Amino acid sequence: MAASSWHQGWDITDEEREVYRKRSQASSRAKAKAVRGEGRRPIHPINVPWLNPDDLMPQLASNGWRSLSLFSGGGGLDLGFDRAGFTHVASYDILPESGITLRNVRPEWTVFGGEQGDVTQVDWREYRGLVDIIHGGPPCQPFSVAGRQQGKEDSRDMFPEFIRAVLEIEPIAFVAENVTALVGKKFSSYLKEVVEHPLRQNYTLIQVILSAPSFGIPQMRKRVFFVGFRQEKMASNYQSPLPTHSWHHLPTDKVKPHVQLDLFSLLDPSETLQPCMGVREALGLPDIGFDTLSPTIRSSLTGPRHTTSVLSSVSAQKIWEKLQIWPNGVALNREQARLFVPDNGHFRLSVPDCAILQGFPESWSFDGAVYKALGQIGNAVPPPMAYRVAVSIAQALS
Ligand SMILES: C[S@@+](CC[C@H](N)C(=O)[O-])C[C@H]1O[C@@H](n2cnc3c(N)ncnc32)[C@H](O)[C@@H]1O
């Protein structure tokens, strides 16, 4: 399959591999038992989430602008642009399950998944005159601090392919999304040579860094967007999205002794913004006297190892523990999560719960086994964040 070259092997010894294999077999047996109803008695009722991400991105009327999606994944950018009123032209992704996800949720869309979705094989000139804006998140593993940071030496660096599409189609505007490590010192010459140099001749580039909780998404997640306009006038019209929400807990004078504030609560002084929910509130879990933003949900599908965990770091583990939420062995649905009680009795996450923490509404279901669905979720731009970017671009174009 074309996608296999995309998967990076895990660099471990045979003994370590055996330990992981045994652990994962034991966990599969325990899960199968639980799903048959032979496990520990369930502790938590099925949760009814309070956050509906659709509320964070009210559907706007068609604005007439036509958008083409590259590296569409599970469709975070696609959904945001759709809700912002753009007309979908086509989506491309090399993973077959991305194609299935998008066709399931939007049967009327033109979607190229699997080998047909491989952007390296497309002659983009046939789209010239048919597309106003191109958006895409070229794979971020070459730049991610969680990856090996090989930049253009990494065969997964797809920025040149995104740029080829822009230069061949010549849209009015484009937006490319990535991890913020890309704008760090380590990649400054990469950014200048590979990204900015070929584009600057025809486009004015604007860099925008956005944070998920500023748009009501209950997760610590930052992303950088490179917005490009062919006309100088549109670029000077452009205003980056302003926060709609802020994460803050109770005012300090009302803090109960057992409620602990985290760093984010101290950073956001604004009173005028709507409050961003914490994880427990968003998922509709009972009050335990502590709530906070979800640690960054990992992008597992294309990382070094397929996994059903959303855990991204050691510090994340501590936060999940304080939240009394188990971030490993994510269940396919809420019923299975309820039946498969973790040893420590914490709340087990399910795929639809992880999707909500990434800003996807319940109606947006993901194709594939748990690890594949989590890969699409973890790789995505949270749709409400994508929506605000899309709205900001539409405003500059009008
Ligand atoms: C960071 S994800 C994009 C997520 C997407 N922007 C969203 O918001 O949901 C990168 C995607 O690029 C895809 N990809 C990698 N190589 C590709 C190629 N040659 N052609 C098309 N898609 C590719 C991966 O399968 C992955 O889904």
Side-chain angles (χ1 to χ4, degrees):
M1 178 175 76
S4 60
S5 61
W6 175 244
H7 177 63
Q8 193 182 13
W10 212 31
D11 198 9
I12 53 172
T13 65
D14 287 349
E15 289 79 34
E16 283 168 327
R17 199 178 302 280
E18 188 56 18
V19 171
Y20 286 116
R21 200 177 62 83
K22 288 210 166 112
R23 199 180 291 164
S24 125
Q25 281 177 343
S27 161
S28 299
R29 279 195 299 273
K31 180 176 157 193
K33 220 172 129 188
V35 170
R36 288 197 303 269
E38 297 163 10
R40 225 171 122 184
R41 247 212 16 241
I43 303 175
H44 307 283
I46 289 186
N47 57 311
V48 180
W50 286 1
L51 177 64
N52 176 1
D54 274 342
D55 296 343
L56 302 173
M57 41 182 181
Q59 180 69 56
L60 299 181
S62 169
N63 57 31
W65 301 110
R66 300 158 299 176
S67 58
L68 174 71
S69 165
L70 268 57
F71 312 104
S72 314
L77 278 169
D78 293 42
L79 175 56
F81 272 78
D82 183 48
R83 304 271 305 174
F86 283 76
T87 303
H88 183 266
V89 174
S91 295
Y92 283 83
D93 199 287
I94 200 167
L95 291 178
E97 50 274 14
S98 289
I100 300 172
T101 293
L102 295 176
R103 270 183 227 114
N104 281 346
V105 290
R106 290 287 185 274
E108 69 281 14
W109 280 3
T110 301
V111 174
F112 298 96
E115 274 175 39
Q116 287 201 319
D118 183 352
V119 300
T120 64
Q121 304 303 311
V122 183
D123 179 352
W124 299 108
R125 286 170 302 184
E126 60 195 65
Y127 282 105
R128 203 176 282 172
L130 303 176
V131 167
D132 301 305
I133 167 153
I134 301 180
H135 61 75
C140 60
Q141 279 71 20
F143 314 106
S144 166
V145 281
R148 294 174 192 165
Q149 295 200 315
Q150 289 169 313
K152 71 177 168 187
E153 309 309 326
D154 194 313
S155 62
R156 295 167 300 167
D157 178 13
M158 287 285 144
F159 247 109
E161 285 296 326
F162 183 86
I163 293 166
R164 182 173 70 83
V166 170
L167 298 180
E168 289 184 7
I169 297 174
E170 299 178 342
I172 301 172
F174 67 81
V175 56
E177 166 270 344
N178 223 278
V179 291
T180 51
L182 181 56
V183 289
K185 224 170 154 193
K186 189 172 162 79
F187 294 111
S188 64
S189 61
Y190 171 89
L191 203 59
K192 274 201 195 89
E193 286 166 33
V194 180
V195 181
E196 294 176 355
H197 177 70
L199 289 169
R200 277 222 190 276
Q201 335 231 333
N202 301 314
Y203 289 88
T204 305
L205 285 178
I206 301 165
Q207 244 179 60
V208 181
I209 293 181
L210 300 176
S211 179
S214 301
F215 304 98
I217 303 137
Q219 186 193 151
M220 296 179 217
R221 191 179 194 90
K222 269 191 183 165
R223 283 297 183 264
V224 61
F225 296 84
F226 300 92
V227 184
F229 292 100
R230 218 169 60 204
Q231 293 174 20
E232 183 55 49
K233 188 173 150 271
M234 288 178 177
S236 53
N237 262 349
Y238 183 74
Q239 287 209 315
S240 58
L242 293 173
T244 54
H245 289 69
S246 71
W247 163 254
H248 49 198
H249 239 285
L250 299 171
T252 11
D253 57 345
K254 291 203 189 128
V255 173
K256 299 173 211 151
H258 63 283
V259 174
Q260 298 172 44
L261 294 175
D262 75 351
L263 191 61
F264 273 78
S265 55
L266 303 172
L267 286 177
D268 214 322
S270 173
E271 294 292 316
T272 54
L273 303 172
Q274 294 177 60
C276 177
M277 292 185 193
V279 184
R280 291 194 65 96
E281 186 182 6
L283 297 183
L285 307 182
D287 186 1
I288 56 166
F290 175 76
D291 204 358
T292 191
L293 297 169
S294 155
T296 307
I297 287 181
R298 63 180 283 170
S299 329
S300 47
L301 189 55
T302 46
R305 186 177 160 232
H306 292 164
T307 172
T308 54
S309 169
V310 294
L311 202 55
S312 50
S313 66
V314 176
S315 57
Q317 166 96 43
K318 290 189 183 133
I319 298 174
W320 287 116
E321 266 168 32
K322 275 166 75 179
L323 283 163
Q324 299 182 19
I325 293 176
W326 183 247
N328 307 304
V330 171
L332 189 61
N333 54 46
R334 296 199 176 95
E335 175 59 20
Q336 291 191 10
R338 186 184 76 96
L339 289 171
F340 190 17
V341 181
D343 288 347
N344 62 6
H346 286 177
F347 173 82
R348 186 182 292 277
L349 288 169
S350 61
V351 169
D353 285 340
C354 296
I356 286 183
L357 298 181
Q358 186 76 327
F360 283 96
E362 297 273 329
S363 57
W364 199 267
S365 54
F366 294 90
D367 179 67
V370 171
Y371 80 89
K372 289 190 171 175
L374 287 184
Q376 293 168 66
I377 294 169
N379 267 334
V381 178
M385 188 193 256
Y387 172 84
R388 294 291 160 186
V389 172
V391 169
S392 71
I393 292 174
Q395 281 166 350
L397 298 184
S398 59

